[in-house]
Amino acid sequence: MTTMNEGTREKLMGVSVATLCSALYKRGLRNQTIQDVRPVRAKGRNMVGPAFTLRYIPAREDRNPMSVFRDPKHPQRVAIETCPEGCVLVMDSRKDPRAASAGDILITRLMMRGGAGVVTDGGFRDSMVIGELDIPAYHNRPSSPTNLTLHEAIELNGPIGCGDVAVFPGDVLVGDDDSVIVIPADIADEIADEAVEMTAYEDFVVERVKQGHTITGLYPATDETNLTLFAEWRAQQKR
């Protein structure tokens, strides 16, 4: 699966990763947030798209001289040239940022091909340049050495682990200015609907708290009066 419901994409553009964490936790999914990965630079908007994956294994010196990049079938290069438009390239770099998962030239090419974003649990080289690009990018930290020094790109679009989270091709990735979460593809539409509802109530709660109201009975809404007030607020806000 490399496509997603555009209505779902639009809904997920307007909710936070924190809210999605809560929605998934209600379904028993506790480990969906990619750990130790953060935006190269905050974009002020969400990254949303189905996962297209690349897996690295530890590099072995006899297999990874610089000359391997001359091969047009090199998996890292193929990933950049085949990641479908609207998808997020997700890389399993074994949580090792000592060598880069990619650099600014490859990420620029991914952006120009319509990639929705890029995520690695390793690092990016030329990260300052990547941060200036329009494409959302997430990594552990800057890393200047080429991937070949420690990583061998070995497999495209299979199941991977990224930041201790299982990622299957087609799972929906959502990133905000804090972090990235993985939503199983078969429940993405339902989670998006639920998160939109949760976000509306959370916005109401924030407004009430700023007005000086207690969170008791408000968050969570154990006092029915607050649900009545929320319904009135929502009608006024046309949400």
Side-chain angles (χ1 to χ4, degrees):
M1 175 183 173
T2 54
T3 60
M4 65 179 295
N5 183 300
E6 287 305 312
T8 295
R9 186 191 298 270
E10 185 175 345
K11 291 170 186 174
L12 292 173
M13 289 294 293
V15 300
S16 71
V17 169
T19 296
L20 292 167
C21 286
S22 297
L24 288 166
Y25 176 64
K26 290 177 183 178
R27 293 169 179 259
L29 294 167
R30 300 166 178 259
N31 186 45
Q32 300 303 118
T33 305
I34 296 177
Q35 296 298 310
D36 297 320
V37 165
R38 54 197 61 86
V40 175
R41 178 168 295 183
K43 300 298 184 187
R45 70 178 193 277
N46 281 7
M47 171 192 75
V48 180
F52 183 85
T53 65
L54 171 64
R55 182 167 65 92
Y56 285 104
I57 62 171
R60 200 175 73 189
E61 289 78 1
D62 63 326
R63 291 178 53 89
N64 288 276
M66 190 67 81
S67 59
V68 298
F69 282 152
R70 293 180 174 274
D71 181 0
K73 296 181 180 178
H74 186 271
Q76 184 204 45
R77 268 46 180 178
V78 174
I80 296 296
E81 292 292 342
T82 61
C83 179
E85 182 178 357
C87 287
V88 175
L89 177 60
V90 189
M91 291 181 273
D92 173 2
S93 293
R94 303 176 296 114
K95 300 192 295 181
D96 189 344
R98 293 176 299 155
S101 304
D104 69 305
I105 294 173
L106 271 62
I107 303 307
T108 299
R109 174 59 178 161
L110 181 66
M111 177 183 72
M112 297 305 295
R113 292 191 59 256
V118 58
V119 181
T120 178
D121 60 3
F124 289 127
R125 67 197 313 201
D126 318 302
S127 62
M128 294 293 287
V129 180
I130 292 172
E132 295 290 342
L133 298 175
D134 191 50
I135 187 171
Y138 296 79
H139 71 167
N140 177 271
R141 63 167 172 81
S143 181
S144 295
T146 177
N147 66 306
L148 298 175
T149 60
L150 288 173
H151 308 307
E152 178 177 347
I154 198 74
E155 182 184 25
L156 284 176
N157 223 28
I160 62 169
C162 185
D164 291 324
V165 179
V167 183
F168 292 85
D171 282 348
V172 175
L173 275 286
V174 181
D176 61 13
D177 287 349
D178 285 340
S179 53
V180 181
I181 195 164
V182 181
I183 306 174
D186 60 342
I187 60 171
D189 296 345
E190 299 168 26
I191 291 295
D193 288 340
E194 185 173 345
V196 167
E197 293 298 306
M198 292 171 65
T199 299
Y201 187 73
E202 289 166 357
D203 289 349
F204 164 73
V205 167
V206 169
E207 189 171 308
R208 294 287 287 172
V209 170
K210 286 181 176 179
Q211 291 168 353
H213 295 279
T214 177
I215 59 169
T216 304
L218 174 65
Y219 188 68
T222 54
D223 184 341
E224 291 293 326
T225 304
N226 287 312
L227 293 178
T228 301
L229 292 170
F230 171 56
E232 294 171 356
W233 175 89
R234 197 166 192 181
Q236 292 169 357
Q237 300 289 323
K238 297 181 179 179
R239 293 182 63 179

